[in-house]
Amino acid sequence: MEAKDAYICYNRADAAWVEKLAEQIESESIDGTDSGRRLSAFFDSWDIDAGQSLIDQMNAGMDSARHVIPVLSPEFFAADWPRFEWKHLVAEDPNNIRGKLIPVLLRDLSLDGATRINYPAPFRDLKHLDFRKAADFRRSFTELVRRVRNLPPERGQRLAPMTNLAPTLPVANSVEASWQPDLVNDLLLSNLLPVLKLPNQIASATTEARSKKEVWEKAAGAPPFILKEGRLFTFARLSDEDCPLRAAINPATIRSESRHDWFIHQDRFRWLIEMLNTSLTSHLRSVWIRQDGKGRFFFLPGEGETDRVCSVPGGRARVVTAKKSNPQTGSSFWVHLTARMRFQRIGERLFLSVEPAFLFTTDGMSSVAGKSAGKLSLLWGGRQQNVDILRNLLFWSGVLARGKDQIQITTGGDPLLLGRVPGSARLSVGIAGDEVRVGSLLAQADSDLDQAAADLDLAEDDDDESEEGTE
C-alpha cells in the first residue's frame, strides 16, 4: 500500500466532517509551495475498495502512514472499529514517543446530546487540537498541517527588552573560589557554517548506470548526483533538455520530489546529506582541491609540482601546499593544508562541519602511511591552539566563498547557500583578557607548513631508530 502522510481514524457519525478534513489535507503541499508534493490522507471511503479486507487495509494503512489522526467524540470512544484502530497504535507506542498520534477533538457531546466524552487513559495525557468551534477551524487546521509536515512549533515574536539588569554570579570570598569564571562578555565560535538555503526540488529518473563512472562516461560535465535503487537523483532540472544527465537516464521516468519529504524520512534524509556532500566535493574540485579516502579535502600542488599559494579577500596570501625535504634521509614529501568537511543536522537546522588539519603526502597525492602518519597526528594535532584552528577555519570559509559574502555551491538547479561566519554563542562569563581579534587572524604570519614539515622529519627519524632497535 502506498504510504500516506496521515491516516484518519473516526466514527461514522462524523464521516461528513472527516471527508472535508481529508479533502483539505490533500489540498495542501508538503512544503507550502504550489510546486510541492500534495499531502495524502488515508480515508477509508477512498482507500478501501469493494471486496478488500477491512482489517488488512486498515492495518496496512496505519503501519505505513507517518501520522494517525483520531477524530475524538463520544461516539468515537463508544464504537468498536475506532477502538480497534487506536488500540493497534497505542499497543506499539503507549506514550506516543514517536509522535505518530495527533488527536483532534471534534465534539464534547454526542450528536443526541445525551453523552459527554470520556477519555480513555492514552488520550487523557495527550494534548489535542481543538476543532469544536467552526470559527477556529483555520487556526487548528494550520497547526494540524504543521504537525503532519513535522515542523517545530512557531514561537512568539521577539520584543524589546524591558530591563537591562543582568544576572550576577556570587562574588568569590576566598582563594578557593578563584576558579570561578570572570564576569565578562565572551563569544564562543563553533566550527559549523550554517546552511541558509537548500534547493527545493529533487529530480530523479531510472538509469542503467551502476556507478558514477558510467554516468560520467555518458554525461560529460554532469552536475552532482547520487545513484540509489536503480535511479539517479540530483538537484539539477532533469526536465531541461540541456541537462547533461539526460544522456544517462530514461527521460520518460523523470519525477520530482520536495526536499522537505527527504527531511522527514530517515532513509531519504541520509540520501540528502550524501547529495549535499557530493555537491561540496564538486564545488571544491573546480578549484583543484581533492578528497582523500578518509574524507579530507586538501590542496593539490601548483602547476609543475610547485608550492601552491592561495589567498582570500581580507587576508594575506598563504602557502597551502609545499614540498619539503629531509636533509638526513634525502627524501622529499609534501605538506598540505586540509580539512575534513561534512554536512550534519543539529535540531532542525543543517550545518557544514569544518575540521581544519594538515595532510602529508609522498608525491602530492598519496598520503604518508605507517608509523609516521600516527606520530604526526599526535605531534602536530597536539600543538594546534584554538586560535590556530579558528584562523584555518576562517580561511577555509573564505576559500569556499570565493570572494562572495555567502558561500554559494552550484548544484545544477537552485544553488546551495551557506553563511561564511561560523555559528556562535554569547556568554556573560569567560576569562578576562583572553581575547582574539577575529579580523586579524587571516593576516598573521603563516609558518604552519614549515613547522608541520619539521614534525615529519622528527617522525621519520623516530621510525628509523625504532626499526634499528628491533633488528
Side-chain angles (χ1 to χ4, degrees):
M1 174 176 290
E2 179 185 357
K4 304 290 186 181
D5 292 297
Y7 177 102
I8 306 179
C9 176
Y10 68 101
N11 180 267
R12 283 294 168 191
D14 305 313
W17 186 89
V18 170
E19 183 169 11
K20 292 185 179 298
L21 178 70
E23 290 173 345
Q24 190 62 54
I25 289 175
E26 295 207 335
S27 299
E28 309 295 328
S29 66
I30 187 66
D31 55 7
T33 65
D34 293 336
S35 59
R37 174 186 67 79
R38 296 293 137 182
L39 294 176
S40 58
F42 184 102
F43 179 54
D44 58 355
S45 296
W46 301 344
D47 295 291
I48 303 180
D49 207 350
Q52 291 183 320
S53 167
L54 293 172
I55 294 178
D56 288 346
Q57 292 300 107
M58 287 190 294
N59 282 337
M62 282 185 287
D63 288 341
S64 61
R66 292 195 297 107
H67 294 286
V68 173
I69 302 174
V71 180
L72 310 183
S73 66
E75 291 88 346
F76 175 86
F77 289 118
D80 290 332
W81 279 112
R83 189 180 302 114
F84 162 78
E85 292 174 299
W86 66 258
K87 280 188 174 181
H88 173 94
L89 182 64
V90 170
E92 293 181 342
D93 186 11
N95 294 315
N96 199 32
I97 300 299
R98 294 180 296 171
K100 188 170 184 176
L101 198 65
I102 309 176
V104 162
L105 176 59
L106 179 58
R107 285 182 291 106
D108 287 317
L109 291 176
S110 59
L111 291 176
D112 60 11
T115 306
R116 179 169 290 277
I117 195 168
N118 181 26
Y119 296 101
F123 294 94
R124 293 183 180 182
D125 184 48
L126 299 179
K127 180 180 178 181
H128 57 255
L129 297 175
D130 194 346
F131 280 85
R132 288 175 296 178
K133 296 181 180 179
D136 294 336
F137 182 88
R138 180 181 292 275
R139 174 184 57 79
S140 298
F141 181 77
T142 299
E143 282 295 294
L144 176 62
V145 171
R146 176 189 64 76
R147 284 284 287 110
V148 172
R149 289 173 175 161
N150 284 11
L151 296 175
E154 293 187 4
R155 307 193 70 83
Q157 62 178 336
R158 292 291 181 90
L159 304 177
M162 299 180 66
T163 174
N164 59 359
L165 295 178
T168 59
L169 295 177
V171 178
N173 294 320
S174 66
V175 176
E176 294 180 351
S178 62
W179 52 267
Q180 291 183 344
D182 299 311
L183 299 180
V184 296
N185 291 325
D186 200 1
L187 176 67
L188 296 182
L189 289 174
S190 72
N191 67 325
L192 303 173
L193 301 178
V195 174
L196 305 178
K197 184 178 180 181
L198 289 170
N200 286 323
Q201 297 294 314
I202 299 168
S204 71
T206 59
T207 179
E208 295 181 357
R210 292 298 176 263
S211 68
K212 289 190 173 183
K213 182 179 180 181
E214 292 180 32
V215 175
W216 290 327
E217 289 175 350
K218 295 180 180 180
F225 65 91
I226 62 173
L227 298 174
K228 299 290 181 182
E229 299 178 352
R231 297 185 70 87
L232 180 148
F233 294 88
T234 180
F235 293 123
R237 300 178 180 88
L238 292 179
S239 57
D240 190 337
E241 295 287 345
D242 297 329
C243 181
L245 287 171
R246 288 176 66 91
I249 65 169
N250 179 356
T253 64
I254 294 175
R255 70 182 183 213
S256 182
E257 302 175 63
S258 168
R259 51 97 171 159
H260 187 78
D261 262 332
W262 284 37
F263 256 91
I264 58 183
H265 290 92
Q266 186 174 1
D267 291 341
R268 286 291 200 269
F269 181 74
R270 287 195 291 265
W271 293 3
L272 175 63
I273 294 296
E274 184 177 344
M275 285 184 62
L276 295 176
N277 288 330
T278 299
S279 299
L280 173 67
T281 300
S282 177
H283 179 74
L284 291 172
R285 286 182 69 88
S286 63
V287 289
W288 292 91
I289 296 175
R290 293 293 184 268
Q291 188 178 24
D292 69 359
K294 296 185 178 180
R296 297 171 295 190
F297 292 93
F298 64 98
F299 288 88
L300 293 178
E303 294 184 8
E305 294 190 354
T306 58
D307 290 359
R308 183 174 175 183
V309 178
C310 182
S311 62
V312 297
R316 65 186 295 275
R318 295 188 63 182
V319 179
V320 294
T321 305
K323 191 174 185 178
K324 303 293 182 179
S325 61
N326 187 334
Q328 298 178 353
T329 63
S331 61
S332 62
F333 55 90
W334 290 84
V335 189
H336 308 254
L337 188 63
T338 185
R340 180 175 281 105
M341 290 185 274
R342 60 189 182 277
F343 287 90
Q344 63 185 64
R345 182 177 184 173
I346 300 178
E348 295 300 320
R349 297 193 61 187
L350 287 178
F351 296 87
L352 177 64
S353 171
V354 182
E355 301 175 18
F358 293 90
L359 180 70
F360 306 87
T361 64
T362 57
D363 55 4
M365 288 290 292
S366 304
S367 300
V368 172
K371 297 178 181 179
S372 291
K375 291 180 179 179
L376 284 168
S377 298
L378 296 175
L379 286 169
W380 184 238
R383 296 187 183 188
Q384 287 280 281
Q385 301 296 318
N386 286 342
V387 65
D388 302 314
I389 296 173
L390 178 57
R391 179 162 60 92
N392 288 332
L393 170 62
L394 295 176
F395 179 77
W396 275 105
S397 174
V399 170
L400 289 167
R402 301 180 183 178
K404 299 181 180 179
D405 294 335
Q406 295 179 334
I407 299 170
Q408 180 171 311
I409 298 177
T410 57
T411 65
D414 296 331
L416 169 63
L417 298 181
L418 289 78
R420 284 192 58 177
V421 179
S424 62
R426 290 191 176 275
L427 301 178
S428 59
V429 295
I431 301 176
D434 183 26
E435 300 176 353
V436 174
R437 299 183 183 278
V438 176
S440 66
L441 289 179
L442 295 178
Q444 290 184 12
D446 186 11
S447 60
D448 291 342
L449 298 187
D450 291 335
Q451 181 60 57
D455 286 341
L456 182 64
D457 292 342
L458 176 60
E460 288 185 336
D461 292 343
D462 288 347
D463 280 350
D464 293 339
E465 294 175 3
S466 176
E467 291 172 0
E468 291 175 1
T470 57
E471 291 180 350

